[in-house]
Amino acid sequence: MTSVTDSGRITAGSAGIPEKTEFLVIGLGITGAGVALDAAARGLDVVAVDAFDVAWGTSRFSSKLVHGGLRYLAQGQLGIAHESAVERGILMESTAPHLVHALPMVIPLTSDISATDAFLARRGVGAGDLLRRVARTSRTTLPKPRRINATETRALAPVSRRDVRGGVLSWDGQLEDDARLVLDIARTAASRSARIHTRTRVVEVTGTGALLRDELTGEERRIEARSVINATGVWAGQLVPGITLKPSRGTHLVLRASSLPGVRCAVMAPVPGASNRFVFALPQPDGTFYLGLTDEEVEGEIPDVPRVPEADVTFLLDVISRVLDKPLTRADVVGSYAGLRPLLSSEGSTADLSRKHAVLISESGVVTIVGGKLTTYRRMAQDAVDAALAHSGLTGSGCVTRSLPLLGAASRDALATLDAPARLVRRFGTEAPAVLANAIALGLTEAEALTPVSTTIPATLAEFVFGITHEGAADIDDLLDRRTRIGLVPADRAAAVDLAEHAFAVVSGART
């Protein structure tokens, strides 16, 4: 069991940042956190900063899936498909089995789907299983895809249309939560002596350092670095000139589980007129579904938090309703979110752009990592650190993140034996007992620590407190929007504010 004191901690504000470091990482999304961990695990001195918070941008607005690369295989992008399948296996079996599980996914075969399309769907998931085998991911981890009959389809997805004649069942990886994965990576980096600081904005940057501003105090300070890595995603071009991206908006809607009663799988609906594109209804462990996603080009200034246009809402509801017995309506939508993919600019629509990543080096020597996808973050980080070492002349050991478990990681059998609430085990793995012990050490009883927000919102006071003491939460937004995902539903956010404020009062009282 991980103790309360030996876990990596994230710091809000720039206090404690040294004047010099070997590696300065800018951005604490999935890629920046991955870069910080990779570099720290090689024995390098690392400082990683973000102007806002860990998982502030695109990394918290994904489908929460760890994809095996099937779509890229269909597009002929064999390298990316193989890389995705390999990285999925690493997450599920080595580095984060506590945060990723196998998700059954069903395409209901209705009268709208021809026999030819059904055959192609079966061939597609078969090719996906071939990717699994090539990536050497265990059959125990991801079961075999297959055609299922109408009875089996309705057992998994009772909301399927009455004319359903069967379905195609496949499996992919699903995250407990994308922001939790980013937090876990950042804290693992911190446990390897990386300094992880949120609310620290880069005002000026070159390949040898940066001017930092503490967004909590307004204080500015300079830091020298042997290597600087820009991992700011869609904002990369705002920090380093000459980088041209073509952002793509991916929108998701949040539904209550009551809108899709009895569903025990992800439901997939083909997008009419598109090749190998689907809208997914994805069940979540907190009693909601995420319905996504779109792929629309975004022009103009990049917003801090993208807005969800009504056209995206209509599109998603219309497509998924094609396979449902009772169509979904606008009244079923209780929340929404959108993320911007940092795609490399080229000709064509964003739906067809490659998800491959690239490492770019500016005239001043700043190393920028762009493109890619959440599933392949580890390989992106490895390539970025390799390039930074080669450019700067720094030396470090080889990359070890392929077999480096994140904090809390353990086999599913080991996790099942932990003496801790199931929700905490799902979200913190072997650290679950430490999360509870941390709250008790601050004066809470076990009953108080495990107090949920409400009977329908399972997040607990212990999680909020740990978010403050270990995960760097500086305010209520940090707790509700990133340490937990309560804020995705405005009504739930309002219900959770009092408990979040109480968590800050508990920590403040213990520190005085």
Side-chain angles (χ1 to χ4, degrees), residues 104-125:
M105 310 181 77
V106 171
I107 305 172
L109 299 178
T110 66
S111 59
D112 290 345
I113 300 178
S114 68
T116 299
D117 289 338
F119 172 75
L120 292 175
R122 294 196 301 274
R123 287 287 299 270
V125 299

Side-chain angles (χ1 to χ4, degrees), residues 143-155:
K144 184 178 181 179
R146 59 189 177 91
R147 169 73 184 266
I148 57 177
N149 61 33
T151 300
E152 292 174 293
T153 301
R154 283 196 169 277

Side-chain angles (χ1 to χ4, degrees), residues 339-503:
L340 300 180
R341 306 174 185 89
L343 305 181
L344 294 168
S345 183
S346 66
E347 297 297 323
S349 72
T350 55
D352 297 323
L353 289 186
S354 173
R355 265 48 171 181
K356 68 181 179 181
H357 62 272
V359 180
L360 312 172
I361 301 178
S362 71
E363 291 183 1
S364 72
V366 177
V367 177
T368 296
I369 175 73
V370 289
K373 53 204 289 290
L374 183 144
T375 302
T376 60
Y377 84 88
R378 191 206 63 81
R379 183 53 191 264
M380 293 171 64
Q382 178 181 340
D383 290 350
V385 174
D386 284 346
L389 290 175
H391 180 74
S392 66
L394 281 167
T395 58
S397 60
C399 176
V400 298
T401 55
R402 188 185 181 103
S403 58
L404 176 63
L406 302 182
L407 290 178
S411 69
R412 289 169 180 80
D413 289 342
L415 293 173
T417 66
L418 288 175
D419 183 17
R423 175 180 169 82
L424 295 185
V425 174
R426 279 202 339 261
R427 298 178 67 79
F428 298 94
T430 60
E431 286 199 304
V435 173
L436 180 57
N438 178 62
I440 293 172
L442 295 180
L444 295 173
T445 66
E446 181 171 333
E448 290 171 332
L450 296 179
T451 298
V453 172
S454 71
T455 56
T456 57
I457 306 173
T460 63
L461 182 57
E463 295 170 62
F464 286 171
V465 169
F466 195 78
I468 300 166
T469 59
H470 285 65
E471 297 176 343
D475 57 26
I476 288 174
D477 289 349
D478 288 354
L479 288 181
L480 301 185
D481 295 338
R482 289 166 289 279
R483 305 309 180 277
T484 64
R485 309 316 296 281
I486 297 171
L488 290 177
V489 179
D492 291 352
R493 164 185 272 280
V497 167
D498 286 348
L499 194 66
E501 289 179 340
H502 181 43

